[in-house]
Structures are given as C-alpha cells and as structure tokens.
Amino acid sequence: MTGGSTTGDDGSKTKGTGVHESRQPWPLWEVFVRSSRGLSHVHAGSLHAPDADMAVRNARDLYTRRNEGVSLWVVPSSAIISSDPDAKGQYFESAQGKDYRHATYYTKSEGVKHL
Amino acid sequence: MRPEDIAVSGLKPSDEVGQYALRLGDDALILAQRLSWWISRAPELEEDVALGNIGLDQLGHARSFLTYAGHAWDKTEDDLAYFRREPEFRSAHLFEQPNGDFACTIARQLVASHFQHELYSRLVDSADETLGAIAAKAVKEVDYHKDHSVQWLLRLGQGTEESRRRMIDGVKLTWPYVEELFEDDDLTTALAEQGVAVLPSELRESFDAAIAAAFEQADLTVPTDPGASGGGRRGHHSEHLGFLLAEMQVLAREYPGASW
C-alpha cells in the first residue's frame, strides 16, 4: 500500500523532488477489540498507520464498523514478542506424562461428598 | 432518522421546508459523489476505507433529507437525485469542487465537516421534528468526519516539506468557497424565525474559532482571500457540477426505473 500515486484528478505529479524516494512505509499495528458484550479484548487483525492516534481511528473504521460500546487497543507489532514455534515441545507439552499434575489423577476418597 | 423511516412516515413538509431540506440533501449528495471517486485511489488502504465510509455517511444523510424534501412535491429520493438538471440543484459551491490531490480533498472535507457539524448540532432543536431527527443521527457521524480531517490537516501540515506545501495549496484552493456557506437569504431567514432552520450566519463565529484552533495546532495560517461569487443556493453553479451530474445520473437516465 505504499508508493502509490497520491495525485487526484488534477493531473499534477510529484517528480524528482526526492520525496518519494525517502518515503518510509507506515509501521504495522496489531488491533485488539472488545465488542460491546465481550469480556476480553480479542486480536482482530493488523493495519498500517503513521502513528498510534491514526491507528486507533483506522481500527475503528476497519474492525468495529463504528458500533457503540467497543474498546480498542492498538499495539505496534514491533512491541510484541512471540513464543518460538520450534520450541513448542518444551513450552506447551510440559503437562504430558505428568498425570500427577491433574486433579483427575487422584481417586476420590470414599465418603467425600460434593467434590 | 433513516430514509426508510421517513419514506413510510408520510410526513409532508411545506414547500419552504422542502426547499430547505433539499439544500442540505444536495450538499451531502454532491460531497458523497465526490468522495466516492477516491475509492481504490486513496494514498493508503486504510485511507481508502475511511474516505469511503465518510462518503457513505454523507450519502445516508442525503437520502434522508431528499426523501423528506421529496414528500413536499410527491417525488422520491431517486427522482431528486437523478432526474434534476444542474440549475435545480441547491448545493453550495464548496461541495462540487474537484477532489484535487489528497490534501485538497482534506481541505474541502475540513470546511464541509466543520460547517455541517455547527449546522446539525443546532438543527437537532428544530421545530420540525423530522429535520431534528435527521440532524441528530448525522451530527454523530459528522463529528467523526471533523476529527478525521483535523488529524490529516495536522499530519500533512507538519509532515514533509512537500505535504505541507500541498496542504497549504489545498486550503488556498478551498477557501473562496467558505463564504457562501454562511450567507442568509429569504428562505433561511423565514424558516429561522419559525425555529425550523438554522440561520447560516449564526454558525460563522464558532466555525471560525474551531478552524482557527486546528490551524494553530498545525502551524498553518487561515487564508483571508475574498470569497467567490457563490449562488449555488439559487442554482447558479461553477463549471464543475455539470460534469459531476452527467457521470452520476447517466445510468438512471439511460435506464429509468432500473433496479439491481
């Protein structure tokens, strides 16, 4: 979405000013939305915006359709640290083979009610 | 108030109230048509969506005003939008001005949204309940349009050397069309006395104050150039409206009554 023409129907062009050469793409933002009856913010998607204020406004257009009663969070994508997909084994399978970690492993003692 | 609700309400405004609703509807309709040009052409995807949304909001307001106006003369919103000739349109010159570049569109939008916001926020108290209801729905949307254009005035005004130059040019091109928006005439004076219409001249002071605040923040100067001749409310338009109408109306006129 960068580098496109910004000229309208007046036919004017910007050439050789060096502006386009120095132009940086807008940074990427992650958008989290809490819908009007939702309990938590849910990741809705991402967008490009020049700054946080514009990111919130763009998120409203793109992800909430301007419904009332919603809350929006925007976070620069660069601020998010994710877990390493290759380390899935160590990270997420820790409970496997460790039945003693689960309450269901234990048999219920006789005479204990309401458990 | 949605156009569908107005259509079934059967409320019949007087000829004068119809003429007034027609002006407000025409402003919004012509601006919607101008903004729709940007779809697929805006500088960024996000901005494409934003301008499209603003255009659709304006089209919604136009439909409500035109449906209500049409009831005065047993005409539909489509009759009024697609089967009137240029001298029958009552929009101010600002709204028919070409899009120019993005900064020029933002400058036009800045003036349009501030004017509409001042107008609608007072029209909610109109003695005419339908006009008040349309304004109450519209003012919330226009509040967003105002914010959008101010945000871009700030960013373009304080962006690169080139963006600042374009913002200044856009403002300069737009400003001759500000004056007309605040001119009173027989219709608005008569209707304002009945508490139905808002007197345009009464909006000027708060419009100027809001615009001055935005320009100061963007470190830009509000132009003081004299206003253009105007005449849109009497059906005298600039050279741009005829072309806009030819494009907007061609399908409806080629296939009258067509639906899809």
Side-chain angles (χ1 to χ4, degrees), chain B residues 1 120 123-137 196:
Chain B
M1 205 170 200
Y120 295 157
L123 196 61
V124 295
D125 300 320
S126 171
D128 185 297
E129 279 181 25
T130 308
L131 288 180
I134 299 171
K137 181 179 183 291
V196 171

Side-chain angles (χ1 to χ4, degrees), chain B residues 3 7 29 37 137 146 178 210 247:
Chain B
L29 178 68
W37 180 89
K137 181 179 183 291
K146 208 170 83 162
V178 172
E247 188 177 26

Side-chain angles (χ1 to χ4, degrees), chain B residues 74-125:
Chain B
D74 292 323
K75 287 183 183 301
T76 66
E77 51 176 321
D78 281 1
D79 291 338
L80 292 177
Y82 296 119
F83 295 95
R84 269 185 304 154
R85 290 160 55 246
E86 184 186 326
E88 296 169 284
F89 274 81
R90 292 289 177 266
S91 46
H93 284 204
L94 173 83
F95 303 95
E96 68 205 45
Q97 293 310 305
N99 286 324
D101 60 13
F102 182 64
C104 190
T105 289
I106 290 299
R108 186 187 63 204
Q109 201 54 41
L110 184 83
V111 174
S113 58
H114 278 79
F115 166 70
Q116 288 178 327
H117 194 267
E118 297 298 338
L119 174 61
Y120 295 157
S121 58
R122 289 167 180 77
L123 196 61
V124 295
D125 300 320

Side-chain angles (χ1 to χ4, degrees), chain A residues 14 23 51 57 60-61, chain B residues 44 46 144 147 155 166:
Chain A
T14 319
R23 188 174 164 183
D51 52 53
R57 287 166 172 84
R60 184 178 93 136
D61 275 350
Chain B
E44 300 284 345
E46 288 77 6
Y144 165 73
D147 175 73
R155 279 163 184 78
R166 284 178 182 245

Side-chain angles (χ1 to χ4, degrees), chain A residues 1-10 12-14 17 19 23 26 46-51 53-54 57-58 60-62 65-66 68, chain B residues 34 37-38 41-47 49-50 53-54 57 98-102 140-141 144-145 147-148 151-152 155 160 162 165-166:
Chain A
M1 288 303 121
T2 55
S5 170
T6 54
T7 54
D9 54 8
D10 65 350
S12 68
K13 292 266 190 300
T14 319
T17 58
V19 170
R23 188 174 164 183
W26 287 354
S46 52
L47 53 80
H48 289 91
D51 52 53
D53 282 343
M54 290 304 290
R57 287 166 172 84
N58 290 341
R60 184 178 93 136
D61 275 350
L62 289 165
R65 306 259 173 207
R66 284 183 258 149
E68 300 299 322
Chain B
R34 276 288 183 233
W37 180 89
W38 279 103
R41 293 179 172 110
E44 300 284 345
L45 175 65
E46 288 77 6
E47 209 38 47
V49 176
N53 270 333
I54 295 171
D57 286 345
N99 286 324
D101 60 13
F102 182 64
K140 284 182 267 177
E141 297 175 354
Y144 165 73
H145 305 170
D147 175 73
H148 175 267
Q151 292 298 324
W152 276 111
R155 279 163 184 78
T160 64
E162 176 69 1
R165 183 188 69 76
R166 284 178 182 245

Side-chain angles (χ1 to χ4, degrees), chain A residues 2-3 5 8 11 19 25 27 34 42 45-46 50-51 59 61 70 74 77 85-86 88-89 92 98 103 107 113 115:
Chain A
T2 55
S5 170
V19 170
R34 186 166 63 77
V42 176
S46 52
D51 52 53
D61 275 350
V70 299
V74 295
S77 296
D86 294 332
K88 212 168 143 191
F92 302 114
K98 297 179 188 174
T107 50
K113 288 173 184 173
L115 191 70

